[in-house]
Amino acid sequence: MNQTIIAKDYYVHPTYGNDLNSGESKKNAFKTLARITQIKLLPGDRIVLAAGQLFLESLSLINQNGNLQNPIVITAIDWDVTNSKTNAIIDFRSQANGILIEDCSYITISNITLTGNGYVKKDESLKMRCGILLTSNKSKLVEHILIQNIYIHDVYYENPGFVRGKEEVKSANGTQKYGWGIRLINNNFENTIENVTIENCHVNSVCHTGIKLSGNKKNIKKVQLLNNTIENTGGPGIQMSEVESVYVSKNNVSHSGCNDDSRKWGRGSGLWTWGSSNVLIEKNKFIYANGPGDSAGAHIDYNCDNIVLQYNVSAYNAGGLCEILGNNYNCMYRYNISINDGHRIKGVDGAFQEGKLFWLSGYQGDKERKGPVNSYFYNNTIFSDATIEAKFAIDNTSNGVVIANNIFCIKGDSKQVLGDQNKQDSHGKATVQNVFFKNNLFLDESTWPKDMKMEDSEPLFGNPLFLKEGSLEITDYISQNLSLIQNKGIEIPTLQESSIKLLFGLKMEKDIMGNTIQGLPSIGAIQSN
């Protein structure tokens, strides 16, 4: 005979509570988050923190499991209805994590503010400081974790005044200790973390990355990153390594690679992937990425397949719009709008890489150069003003390239540059294979670099006449010169199949504004029916 599980609410108030209380009512609240770790929580249990109150500690959830119908909930409510506070505040200064979720499943966390700005007494044993850390240790399966309405700000490992060496920003991901926003880490390839959603969260001013997923042999799966705001991160806004089946939508990422604090790394794309498969990145805004290297709006590092960026706005990012590194398969940028991307100049302000509006690289770590295979770049709208020299780099080891139906409204000069990702890309030893470069709209014949070996076989020329050049609003890039773009698009061909299957279709039903594409597509990201 099955026993009925009766879920309980446990209340915690840092001022009026007492850990000798039962915790089962506001009047009998616990005092500390540490008291929660002594309870074996049951499905449906809630940990209710007092909104507007400050907890000078951290919360650890280890081996706590709800179920699909009855998750364990950690949240905050306003105990004084006249106070109208929504979040409890956890200041985890000196601690490793604000919230640790280890070997747990069916957990929901919401309405908490987290900050951890350095330390009172330094603990050298700590490897990092992290707002929320979700990890698998002994559990073979960690699943169904929902993190929503969380605000994380000012997370630093070091105290104010710490200055990083000049060479640190040139290292691949940083070699020193940092503060992070939300991290998923699954080092044991035999374990799996899956069905995780992070939504409506705000990460501001952390030392390194805002949201970072770190798997091993793609053992982090089925993750959704939705409607988050990530700004002023010292590293990337979002980064994922060795993950599979991730959906990233409607996030606003600004000022990644921020260097306004000497403790920050000072480099990072709005988003980048490495060693990952089947990732759809759509309807996001990636703006103002900074750094002496990389720091694109969103880039695809090496060893990935089926990474798709569509319906995004990419603007004023130092590194550029499109960056696809080596040994990538079936990756694509389509129906995006780019504004003044790739403005970085090598040698200026410590930059060790040129900014590049479009870059296909052969870099794949320590291995021999091998360009990306079957890269698709179509129906993007690109604007670059007269103050920027637009730069392009295509490694000749690339195999399979589609560039079609794009608007290249480049008002400054343009040129070919070397990729300079540790080793320079080769332009003279080979020829890019399997190229479909056709039917793009250029402002004039000087828009595409004259020294590029690849060129459009059937180019179009003219001014699309945007409503407000330089704006961040999508509607300002509706062309007023319809005769140039309307029904002028062509069907996108499928490149010769490689060893890795293409998982996404090429024909699009909607444009970046949600307009239905009827008949032939227009040129650029906005359909003119």
Side-chain angles (χ1 to χ4, degrees), residues 23 32 41 124 133 216 255 281 304 336 466 471 480 507 514:
T32 69
L41 299 171
E124 294 288 359
L133 173 60
N216 184 352
H255 296 91
I281 302 158
C304 293
N336 303 289
F466 297 134
S471 166
Q480 302 305 293
K507 186 174 182 179

Side-chain angles (χ1 to χ4, degrees), residues 330-362:
N330 304 327
C331 294
M332 62 185 75
Y333 289 71
R334 61 188 182 187
Y335 284 89
N336 303 289
I337 293 179
S338 170
I339 305 115
N340 286 334
D341 281 327
H343 55 78
R344 184 177 59 225
I345 300 172
K346 187 176 180 180
V348 176
D349 295 329
F352 57 86
Q353 284 180 356
E354 296 278 13
K356 292 173 283 291
L357 192 55
F358 182 90
W359 181 18
L360 303 183
S361 171

Side-chain angles (χ1 to χ4, degrees), residues 182-231:
I182 300 172
R183 293 202 65 172
L184 276 60
I185 300 178
N186 194 4
N187 291 325
N188 188 338
F189 69 88
E190 294 182 344
N191 296 349
T192 298
I193 296 177
E194 66 180 22
N195 290 312
V196 177
T197 298
I198 302 171
E199 66 179 357
N200 298 319
C201 293
H202 183 186
V203 180
N204 183 20
S205 199
V206 298
C207 197
H208 207 288
T209 306
I211 300 176
K212 184 174 176 67
L213 318 179
S214 302
N216 184 352
K217 297 185 178 180
K218 301 176 184 174
N219 61 355
I220 295 179
K221 305 178 180 182
K222 301 176 185 177
V223 177
Q224 296 186 97
L225 307 179
L226 310 173
N227 299 297
N228 300 293
T229 298
I230 303 166
E231 56 187 342

Side-chain angles (χ1 to χ4, degrees), residues 15 79 142 148 245 256 308 327 513 519:
T15 303
W79 292 15
V142 168
Q148 62 181 359
S245 300
S256 56
V308 175
N327 198 41
M513 295 179 62

Side-chain angles (χ1 to χ4, degrees), residues 83-341:
N83 206 13
S84 69
K85 298 291 185 181
T86 56
N87 280 22
I89 304 162
I90 296 178
D91 186 340
F92 61 100
R93 188 180 183 196
S94 301
Q95 305 298 311
N97 309 292
I99 299 176
L100 171 65
I101 309 168
E102 180 178 315
D103 293 337
C104 298
S105 290
Y106 300 100
I107 303 290
T108 296
I109 298 178
S110 65
N111 298 341
I112 297 174
T113 295
L114 298 157
T115 185
N117 195 344
Y119 55 85
V120 176
K121 183 178 180 181
K122 193 169 188 177
D123 184 350
E124 294 288 359
S125 68
L126 300 183
K127 296 181 179 180
M128 62 181 177
R129 207 173 316 284
C130 190
I132 296 177
L133 173 60
L134 169 61
T135 188
S136 172
N137 182 16
K138 297 178 181 179
S139 178
K140 293 295 183 183
L141 178 62
V142 168
E143 61 178 335
H144 289 279
I145 306 295
L146 173 59
I147 299 170
Q148 62 181 359
N149 301 323
I150 299 293
Y151 177 38
I152 299 174
H153 69 93
D154 295 291
V155 181
Y156 295 90
Y157 180 83
E158 303 287 354
N159 279 339
F162 177 84
V163 178
R164 301 194 183 279
K166 293 182 179 180
E167 296 302 308
E168 176 69 1
V169 73
K170 297 180 182 179
S171 62
N173 290 292
T175 63
Q176 300 172 348
K177 297 179 179 181
Y178 290 89
W180 311 76
I182 300 172
R183 293 202 65 172
L184 276 60
I185 300 178
N186 194 4
N187 291 325
N188 188 338
F189 69 88
E190 294 182 344
N191 296 349
T192 298
I193 296 177
E194 66 180 22
N195 290 312
V196 177
T197 298
I198 302 171
E199 66 179 357
N200 298 319
C201 293
H202 183 186
V203 180
N204 183 20
S205 199
V206 298
C207 197
H208 207 288
T209 306
I211 300 176
K212 184 174 176 67
L213 318 179
S214 302
N216 184 352
K217 297 185 178 180
K218 301 176 184 174
N219 61 355
I220 295 179
K221 305 178 180 182
K222 301 176 185 177
V223 177
Q224 296 186 97
L225 307 179
L226 310 173
N227 299 297
N228 300 293
T229 298
I230 303 166
E231 56 187 342
N232 303 311
T233 55
I238 300 170
Q239 198 279 323
M240 57 194 79
S241 298
E242 297 198 60
V243 302
E244 183 176 63
S245 300
V246 177
Y247 182 55
V248 184
S249 181
K250 297 182 180 178
N251 300 282
N252 192 337
V253 182
S254 66
H255 296 91
S256 56
C258 181
N259 59 2
D260 63 351
D261 189 300
S262 61
R263 295 172 290 176
K264 290 182 176 179
W265 189 37
R267 169 186 170 191
S269 294
L271 178 151
W272 64 276
T273 64
W274 175 82
S276 297
S277 299
N278 189 18
V279 180
L280 179 58
I281 302 158
E282 66 173 5
K283 303 176 183 178
N284 304 282
K285 184 177 285 187
F286 302 110
I287 58 176
Y288 302 114
N290 171 70
D294 290 323
S295 304
H299 85 261
I300 304 169
D301 221 295
Y302 61 94
N303 292 348
C304 293
D305 71 88
N306 289 285
I307 311 296
V308 175
L309 293 101
Q310 63 186 31
Y311 305 144
N312 302 292
V313 172
S314 176
Y316 298 94
N317 299 296
L321 165 65
C322 174
E323 178 181 335
I324 305 176
L325 299 191
N327 198 41
N328 284 313
Y329 290 78
N330 304 327
C331 294
M332 62 185 75
Y333 289 71
R334 61 188 182 187
Y335 284 89
N336 303 289
I337 293 179
S338 170
I339 305 115
N340 286 334
D341 281 327

Side-chain angles (χ1 to χ4, degrees), residues 45-74:
D45 283 354
R46 292 198 313 163
I47 308 302
V48 183
L49 311 184
Q53 299 299 311
L54 175 63
F55 295 83
L56 297 174
E57 54 179 324
S58 60
L59 174 63
S60 294
L61 300 172
I62 300 175
N63 194 28
Q64 303 279 15
N65 297 282
N67 58 40
L68 186 60
Q69 291 76 29
N70 301 287
I72 293 170
V73 175
I74 298 90

